[in-house]
Amino acid sequence: MLILNRRRFLQVGSLASAAVMMPKFLKALERGHLAPPGNKVLVIIQLSGGNDGLNTVIPYRNDIYYKARPALGIKREAALSLNDDLGIHPALKGLKTLYDDGALGILNNVGYPNPDRSHFRSMDIWHSASQSNEYWSDGWIGRYLDAQCKGCDKPTQALEIDDTLSLALKGDSDKGLAMTDPARLYGTSNDKYFAELLKQHTPDNDHHNNADYLYKTMGETISSAAYIQQQFKTYKSSAPYPNTELGRNLRTIANLVMSDINTKVYYVSHGSFDTHVNQQDQQARLFGQLSDALTVFTDDLKANHRFEDVVVMTFSEFGRRVSQNASGGTDHGTANNMFLVGGSLKQPGLINDGPDLLNLKDGDLQYQVDFKSVYATLLSNWLGADDKAVLKATYPHLSFV
C-alpha cells in the first residue's frame, strides 16, 4: 500500500508539474475553436550544443578555411555544392534536395552583439530574444502567446515535444505545453485516481491558496490532454519516419499539423552538437538524422497539401571557432547559420553571403544578421503578430517569407 501511494504521489507531482506549464487557453479549444484552412505553422528545431556552422555551410574555395582546419576541413569533392564557392555537409543530402527544389533558405553569419560563449547564457539570449546584457524570465514565443491570446476568442497555442518546457515558450500569463507523446499524456491524465482527487476537492475562494491552484491546473490539464489526444488520433501518418528521437518527434508534429488543432508553433530539440572532440563522426551522425527526418517530414506535408503552410527554422546557440582544436574538434564560437524550410519561401537559396574569413574577431566569425530580425520576420510576416510588442524593440525584417 505504501508503494502504491508513493507511486500515486509521484504521478500527481508529475501531472501537476505539467499543468503548471499548461496554457489556460487550451481548455477553450474544447469549445470548437478549430484551425481554419491554411493555418500557418512554425516548426523550430533547436540544434543544441552549438553546431559548427563552418562545416555546415562550407567555403570550399577559401584557402583560409583549410589552413585553419587541416584535419577537419571538408574536401570540396565531398561537399554538396550550392554554388562555385559554397557547399553543405555531405550528410545533409535531404536538405540539398530541398535547396534544389527551392524549398530551403540559408542565412549565414547570424548572431547578436557582444556574444556569450556559455551554452546556458547564450541559449537564454536566443530563447528570450534579449540583449546580451539583459536577463529576461520570459521567452519570445511565450510573449507571442501572451500577445495573441489576450482578449481574443480564437486562442492559439505552442507545443514542445519534450519532457520539459524551454524558456522560449514561457510567457508572463500564458505558456506552451511540453509533452513527448499526446497518447501518454492523455493516459496519465485519465487515471481514475485524479478524477477521484478532483471530486474530493472543495474550491477555496482564496486565489492565493496553493492547493486550490494545483487542483485547478490539474483539471485544466486533464481536459486539455483529452482535446489534444482527440486531435492527435484524427490523422496517423503512414510515412516511413526514421526510428530516431527526431524522427519520432517529427512524426508526432506531422500528425498534429494534419489535424484541426489550432497550434501555431511546434518546438523540438536535436543534438548535442558540442563537438570539442571527434567532431567529424558526431556531426555527420546528427546531420544524417536531421536530413533523414526532415526529408520524410516534408514529403509527408507535401502529400497532405500542407507544405505551403509550414516553415521549419533551425538554430543553434552559437557556432564554433574557425580553427580546429588539438582534439579533433572545435571550441565555442559566435556567429552561425540558420536553415529555413518551407513551400512558401519568397527567398530560397543562399539568402546572404557566406562566412567572411577575412574579417575575424579574436579568431571568431563576426555576425552580420541579428537573429532577432529572423524572429521579427517570422512573427510579423508568417504568424501575423506585432513583432515590436513581442520582441520589445524594432528589428529590420528580412525577405524570406
Side-chain angles (χ1 to χ4, degrees):
M1 179 62 71
L2 180 61
I3 294 174
L4 177 61
N5 288 338
R6 183 175 183 273
R7 185 179 299 125
R8 292 298 194 188
F9 175 78
L10 290 174
Q11 285 180 313
V12 171
S14 176
L15 187 62
S17 297
V20 169
M21 297 181 282
M22 176 74 65
K24 298 175 184 176
F25 52 74
L26 275 175
K27 186 174 177 62
L29 289 172
E30 292 183 7
R31 297 192 293 268
H33 299 302
L34 302 179
N39 179 43
K40 302 300 183 186
V41 171
L42 173 63
V43 178
I44 300 170
I45 301 178
Q46 173 181 300
L47 305 181
S48 303
N51 174 52
D52 178 25
L54 203 54
N55 272 17
T56 304
V57 179
I58 304 153
Y60 53 43
R61 291 193 60 183
N62 194 317
D63 290 340
I64 299 174
Y65 167 72
Y66 291 107
K67 288 178 182 177
R69 300 182 169 206
L72 279 184
I74 296 176
K75 301 294 186 278
R76 179 174 183 176
E77 57 271 20
L80 305 175
S81 179
L82 301 176
N83 60 21
D84 289 342
D85 298 310
L86 298 172
I88 60 172
H89 194 284
L92 294 172
K93 294 180 176 64
L95 276 80
K96 175 60 164 63
T97 299
L98 289 168
Y99 180 90
D100 293 340
D101 291 343
L104 172 67
I106 301 174
L107 264 174
N108 295 294
N109 309 305
V110 184
Y112 56 90
N114 303 310
D116 195 299
R117 290 182 179 83
S118 161
H119 287 293
F120 304 105
R121 179 61 191 139
S122 190
M123 191 63 83
D124 279 353
I125 292 168
W126 276 82
H127 280 182
S128 65
S130 69
Q131 300 300 324
S132 59
N133 62 344
E134 297 174 322
Y135 292 81
W136 294 353
S137 59
D138 52 13
W140 71 284
I141 300 169
R143 293 194 302 275
Y144 159 74
L145 297 177
D146 287 343
Q148 292 299 101
C149 298
K150 187 179 295 183
C152 66
D153 63 352
K154 192 177 290 296
T156 58
Q157 63 167 334
L159 297 177
E160 181 165 7
I161 313 302
D162 204 337
D163 291 320
T164 58
L165 193 70
S166 299
L167 172 62
L169 283 77
K170 297 179 181 179
D172 180 48
S173 60
D174 290 298
K175 296 176 175 62
L177 169 68
M179 63 177 180
T180 55
D181 181 2
R184 191 173 72 179
L185 176 65
Y186 173 73
T188 300
S189 67
N190 205 40
D191 191 300
K192 292 180 180 179
Y193 180 71
F194 299 122
E196 290 299 322
L197 274 180
L198 288 174
K199 286 180 181 178
Q200 296 171 16
H201 175 61
T202 302
D204 192 322
N205 291 327
D206 181 4
H207 297 295
H208 300 288
N209 186 299
N210 290 335
D212 214 43
Y213 171 77
L214 286 174
Y215 275 105
K216 179 177 178 294
T217 52
M218 185 191 302
E220 290 178 349
T221 301
I222 291 171
S223 59
S224 301
Y227 172 78
I228 295 171
Q229 171 63 3
Q230 176 188 355
Q231 296 300 319
F232 181 68
K233 65 184 182 182
T234 60
Y235 175 83
K236 292 296 182 184
S237 175
S238 59
Y241 283 87
N243 189 27
T244 60
E245 183 177 6
L246 183 62
R248 293 187 293 272
N249 290 342
L250 287 183
R251 180 196 291 274
T252 297
I253 293 173
N255 286 339
L256 290 168
V257 167
M258 256 68 90
S259 77
D260 282 329
I261 195 168
N262 195 15
T263 303
K264 303 290 287 185
V265 181
Y266 296 92
Y267 198 99
V268 65
S269 297
H270 180 52
S272 172
F273 286 85
D274 196 17
T275 52
H276 292 281
V277 179
N278 192 28
Q279 174 172 305
Q280 287 180 328
D281 292 343
Q282 184 173 345
Q283 191 180 41
R285 176 179 56 81
L286 292 170
F287 274 169
Q289 293 175 358
L290 175 67
S291 181
D292 292 347
L294 268 179
T295 296
V296 180
F297 181 66
T298 53
D299 287 346
D300 204 359
L301 294 174
K302 292 174 187 176
N304 288 275
H305 310 290
R306 290 289 277 143
F307 191 45
E308 288 73 21
D309 296 325
V310 176
V311 167
V312 180
M313 180 196 89
T314 72
F315 84 96
S316 198
E317 67 263 37
F318 46 62
R320 316 294 292 191
R321 305 276 287 176
V322 171
S323 296
Q324 67 182 54
N325 61 27
S327 302
T330 50
D331 299 322
H332 299 177
T334 54
N336 209 342
N337 40 54
M338 300 176 70
F339 289 142
L340 297 151
V341 176
S344 296
L345 295 183
K346 294 181 179 179
Q347 191 179 3
L350 288 161
I351 299 173
N352 60 351
D353 292 335
D356 184 357
L357 298 181
L358 292 173
N359 186 28
L360 304 182
K361 183 176 181 180
D362 299 326
D364 283 317
L365 295 169
Q366 295 200 59
Y367 91 98
Q368 296 173 5
V369 178
D370 194 319
F371 74 87
K372 295 179 284 293
S373 282
V374 182
Y375 290 179
T377 304
L378 290 167
L379 286 165
S380 176
N381 297 358
W382 191 248
L383 296 177
D386 182 349
D387 59 286
K388 297 177 185 177
V390 172
L391 298 177
K392 308 181 187 181
T394 300
Y395 297 97
H397 287 186
L398 306 175
S399 56
F400 58 86
V401 291

